[in-house]
Amino acid sequence: MGLLLPLGLCTLALCCGAVSLPQQALGPSPLLSRGCNDSGVLAVTGFALQDINRDRKDGYVLSLNRVHNAWEHRQDDLGSLFYLTLDVLETDCHVLSKKAWKDCRVRSLHGSVYGQCKVMFYINKPHRVLYSPAYNCTLRPVSQEKIHSMCPDCPGPRPTDSSDPRVLEAATESLAKYNENTLKQYSLLKVTRASSQWVVGPSYFVEYLVKESPCTTSQAGSCSLQSSDSAPIGLCTGSLVQTDEGKFVSVTCDFFETQAPSPGGENSSVNKGPVSLPKVQEPQGKNTSLTVSPYKAGPRGSVQYLPDLDSEKPNNSQEKDPHEAFPVQLDLTTNPGGETLDVSFLFLRPVEEKLVVLPFPREEQRSAECPGPAQQASALVLPP
Ligand SMILES: *[C@@H]1O[C@H](CO)[C@@H](O)[C@H](O)[C@H]1NC(C)=O
Ligand SMILES: *[C@@H]1O[C@H](CO)[C@@H](O)[C@H](O)[C@H]1NC(C)=O
Ligand SMILES: *[C@@H]1O[C@H](CO)[C@@H](O)[C@H](O)[C@H]1NC(C)=O
Ligand SMILES: *[C@@H]1O[C@H](CO)[C@@H](O)[C@H](O)[C@H]1NC(C)=O
Ligand SMILES: *[C@@H]1O[C@H](CO)[C@@H](O)[C@H](O)[C@H]1NC(C)=O
């Protein structure tokens, strides 16, 4: 749980706590360019991505395809603040499953969703602090036009609008089939992904979040109780295939571990990461007892979904500027000299610790060893 530190810190820092530093006239940049295949960088990246996934409330877990760019700002006893640009791929785990990205499978090429994240990640090993003050990501589905031109005969389901009534039908019918075999009943909360393909007839493939229904099997049909709790508790994958002989329905559901973050923070899955930092310090601010967080929790970042790149060129205008294809903005300051960010709350002892935050380094200032090797090297899923 160590990475689940109070959110909203950056907002606070920007409004009240951030202090401009004197301009470092002509001073050398304190930023150290790091290799994108460096084992230390990969370890830090693993934690940063885990932190992003844990902070999110919807969408699928993102996994690392490659490190695009990495900078380190060493700050004496305080540790280091990393500025990372990561090329990522969507997996088939929902973020609410809280599964580690390394335990999730990336989508097959024709169903890929890929993009780029920028994240600032603070690490202080002696004090076992791992913390992302901010991140932002931009994702797009793989270009269906390019997939098709690469392999015109490959079947492969095509992404389909979730509002298509046949998608809804596939979800309801597959869930009804699931409910036939369980005493507890589940109801549909939201379709999270849908695709279709002509097999022997029209076929629809869906993924959807479910919640517990207050009804049981015996009441089926006649139960009109409203569930008071509409929290998603699992992700189901279903399909509906129409043929001349009738309909074929399949379904599997995967229920999330009900793990209310324990205030003790034991068994943080973060500890399964590549670097062993036995226990990450819990910050104050969880309402375990005494301390009430003085600031509101809010997201530290967001994931933006954009359409397929090729579907955006209606009149064959020139190709987009590659850097515009996956715009990700991440700046806690625009002051070239940087600002300070109060991170005292990350430490157990009563200290005043202030981290220096700089504007996010520009893409052009890139180490020769970047980007690093990709897991999925197809150009179709690598941001330019
Ligand atoms: C926590 O980890 C310990 C040792 O790895 C394990 O025995 C225990 O079952 C875990 N507890 C939970 C709640 O996962
Ligand atoms: C923590 O706060 C939440 C919502 O503010 C509340 O529902 C919960 O009971 C609190 N937990 C404790 C241990 O005080
Ligand atoms: C081409 O794109 C421009 C700007 O995006 C738009 O104003 C124009 O109507 C488009 N032309 C056609 C033929 O779609
Ligand atoms: C993250 O991106 C959003 C827009 O997508 C932007 O409003 C926000 O300022 C960005 N966050 C930071 C810290 O730059
Ligand atoms: C990346 O590092 C691994 C292990 O250190 C090495 O085996 C591999 O060849 C490196 N790849 C590149 C492209 O440098």
Side-chain angles (χ1 to χ4, degrees):
M1 287 301 111
L3 289 176
L4 293 175
L5 302 177
L7 315 174
L9 174 74
C10 28
T11 333
L12 176 82
L14 285 179
C15 79
C16 337
V19 179
S20 294
L21 296 178
Q23 193 99 11
Q24 294 170 327
L26 299 171
S29 168
L31 290 176
L32 212 64
S33 167
R34 297 287 310 261
C36 285
N37 192 29
D38 178 302
S39 61
V41 168
L42 291 171
V44 166
T45 297
F47 285 126
L49 201 51
Q50 176 121 355
D51 196 19
I52 291 174
N53 285 323
R54 291 197 154 242
D55 187 53
R56 296 168 58 211
K57 301 289 175 288
D58 58 28
Y60 291 92
V61 168
L62 299 176
S63 81
L64 182 69
N65 194 11
R66 69 177 180 188
V67 178
H68 200 98
N69 214 345
W71 296 86
E72 181 179 3
H73 185 185
R74 294 195 179 138
Q75 306 190 24
D76 303 321
D77 294 345
L78 257 181
S80 288
L81 183 64
F82 282 84
Y83 296 83
L84 305 167
T85 304
L86 311 176
D87 292 341
V88 298
L89 288 168
E90 211 174 71
T91 66
D92 59 2
C93 300
H94 197 274
V95 291
L96 296 176
S97 70
K98 297 292 174 200
K99 284 189 185 151
W101 61 267
K102 287 186 178 169
D103 298 335
C104 299
R105 270 189 323 222
V106 301
R107 305 277 181 182
S108 52
L109 189 61
H110 58 77
S112 287
V113 175
Y114 71 108
Q116 201 162 72
C117 294
K118 285 183 181 166
V119 54
M120 295 180 197
F121 193 71
Y122 172 48
I123 178 161
N124 180 326
K125 281 193 196 169
H127 289 100
R128 294 167 181 166
V129 170
L130 302 168
Y131 176 67
S132 301
Y135 67 86
N136 257 343
C137 308
T138 296
L139 306 179
R140 290 182 187 270
V142 68
S143 157
Q144 289 301 314
E145 191 182 306
K146 292 213 176 71
I147 290 279
H148 189 71
S149 64
M150 202 176 73
C151 178
D153 298 327
C154 294
R158 299 193 145 231
T160 304
D161 193 336
S162 301
S163 61
D164 186 322
R166 286 162 304 177
V167 164
L168 193 63
E169 185 190 357
T172 13
E173 295 227 0
S174 62
L175 185 56
K177 176 168 178 175
Y178 190 85
N179 278 336
E180 274 170 21
N181 301 309
T182 53
L183 180 58
K184 220 180 233 177
Q185 299 290 287
Y186 302 95
S187 48
L188 177 65
L189 206 48
K190 182 183 168 195
V191 174
T192 51
R193 192 180 159 96
S195 56
S196 59
Q197 181 181 7
W198 187 274
V199 188
V200 282
S203 308
Y204 285 83
F205 307 94
V206 287
E207 294 179 24
Y208 48 92
L209 291 168
V210 293
K211 62 179 182 175
E212 225 165 285
S213 154
C215 310
T216 57
T217 319
S218 56
Q219 301 165 302
S222 63
C223 171
S224 61
L225 286 175
Q226 283 300 307
S227 173
S228 55
D229 184 10
S230 62
I233 59 157
L235 184 76
C236 298
T237 304
S239 67
L240 176 58
V241 178
Q242 312 259 14
T243 71
D244 291 342
E245 274 113 66
K247 285 194 271 195
F248 292 90
V249 178
S250 78
V251 64
T252 55
C253 292
D254 182 24
F255 292 95
F256 308 143
E257 279 176 49
T258 48
Q259 41 168 17
S262 60
E266 54 272 297
N267 289 21
S268 162
S269 53
V270 161
N271 296 338
K272 292 177 198 148
V275 168
S276 69
L277 293 174
K279 211 175 211 180
V280 177
Q281 182 186 314
E282 265 314 295
Q284 51 173 257
K286 296 215 170 152
N287 58 350
T288 40
S289 54
L290 306 169
T291 44
V292 174
S293 172
Y295 37 80
K296 278 222 186 83
R300 286 173 283 165
S302 61
V303 176
Q304 172 183 221
Y305 292 86
L306 297 180
D308 179 336
L309 261 179
D310 288 319
S311 71
E312 269 193 349
K313 299 184 297 186
N315 51 16
N316 285 336
S317 53
Q318 74 271 42
E319 290 277 331
K320 282 188 164 247
D321 173 355
H323 295 296
E324 299 271 296
F326 288 86
V328 185
Q329 187 208 335
L330 191 67
D331 274 314
L332 291 181
T333 174
T334 50
N335 181 344
E339 298 190 14
T340 57
L341 187 64
D342 193 332
V343 289
S344 311
F345 71 96
L346 293 167
F347 296 81
L348 268 185
R349 51 201 171 86
V351 285
E352 206 184 357
E353 300 285 17
K354 292 199 166 148
L355 202 60
V356 176
V357 178
L358 298 170
F360 205 92
R362 297 300 123 199
E363 188 56 32
E364 307 80 64
Q365 326 166 302
R366 180 195 288 182
S367 148
E369 296 166 62
C370 288
Q375 297 292 316
Q376 166 64 270
S378 164
L380 298 187
V381 292
L382 285 172

